Amino acid sequence: MRAEALQKKVEEMVLDSYEAMYRLAYTYVRNEEDALDIVQESVYKAIKHSSSVKQDGYIKTWLWRIVMNTALDFIRKNQKEIAVDAFFENGKEDSYQDFDTIEALKVLTEKEKTVVVLRFFEDQKLSEIARVLNENTNTVKTILYRSLRKLKLELTEGELGYEG
């Protein structure tokens, strides 16, 4: 019965997080169809392996990790360039309105991008992000602050019409 209850909770979390999963996948692949494929594959993996979740409280973190790993696997298989310049707009309102900021995400590494997206676009706490990335919370803070400095520099150069 425990496995069935876990599977039900995973299914509920998938339904509650579907759009957020899509947005995260899209940050990696920049393609609507590919992001949908990644989410679909992630949902399949999550439901198939739902019995491997150790605690109910970690289902969301576990689900984010599946989406990230599936996206990275997809990229490796397809050898696509990773960049971010647009997001799914039917999700959280006003979260993705500043396209200069979204364009600036291109200067970040994958891990930096993930931290920024999860923290500011998906409103996750640093401790949750640390669990998703299997990192220490202080490491996530360092990554976040380094990313914010890079973004600030990128955005400031854009405003000043920086020509190199």
Side-chain angles (χ1 to χ4, degrees):
M1 184 62 181
R2 170 89 174 121
E4 289 176 17
L6 260 176
Q7 182 172 338
K8 179 129 178 84
K9 287 184 180 192
V10 168
E11 290 171 0
E12 289 171 6
M13 184 61 69
V14 163
L15 292 174
D16 290 344
S17 304
Y18 201 84
E19 288 180 9
M21 291 167 59
Y22 172 84
R23 287 190 300 268
L24 181 60
Y26 192 89
T27 63
Y28 283 93
V29 294
R30 274 187 18 162
N31 179 289
E32 184 177 335
E33 292 82 19
D34 293 343
L36 289 170
D37 288 346
I38 289 167
V39 172
Q40 188 175 30
E41 179 70 16
S42 298
V43 169
Y44 168 76
K45 289 176 181 178
I47 291 171
K48 181 179 179 184
H49 300 289
S50 60
S51 62
S52 69
V53 176
K54 305 234 184 310
Q55 293 180 355
D56 296 356
Y58 293 126
I59 292 174
K60 188 171 185 178
T61 301
W62 178 75
L63 192 56
W64 283 111
R65 191 83 180 143
I66 291 173
V67 174
M68 288 171 37
N69 288 336
T70 304
L72 292 172
D73 289 345
F74 178 87
I75 290 164
R76 283 184 208 109
K77 285 180 192 170
N78 294 292
Q79 299 177 343
K80 290 191 176 185
E81 182 179 315
I82 301 161
V84 177
D85 62 41
F87 288 86
F88 189 59
E89 295 182 32
N90 294 337
K92 295 179 182 177
E93 198 166 89
D94 295 327
S95 291
Y96 300 103
Q97 296 301 316
D98 187 356
F99 291 107
D100 289 338
T101 303
I102 293 167
E103 185 68 22
L105 288 174
K106 288 182 175 181
V107 301
L108 303 179
T109 66
E110 289 182 36
K111 189 175 273 192
E112 291 169 341
K113 237 186 285 186
T114 300
V115 169
V116 170
V117 168
L118 292 178
R119 177 66 188 103
F120 295 109
F121 297 135
E122 301 304 332
D123 202 29
Q124 289 196 11
K125 295 177 183 173
L126 292 175
S127 59
E128 294 171 331
I129 298 168
R131 277 198 307 266
V132 169
L133 296 175
N134 287 332
E135 294 282 0
N136 180 300
T137 302
N138 288 330
T139 303
V140 171
K141 284 181 191 176
T142 301
I143 293 168
L144 178 62
Y145 295 133
R146 180 179 61 227
S147 304
L148 292 175
R149 280 193 302 273
K150 282 183 178 181
L151 287 173
K152 182 179 178 184
L153 181 62
E154 181 71 14
L155 291 170
T156 302
E157 287 176 354
E159 286 176 9
L160 298 175
Y162 182 75
E163 296 176 9

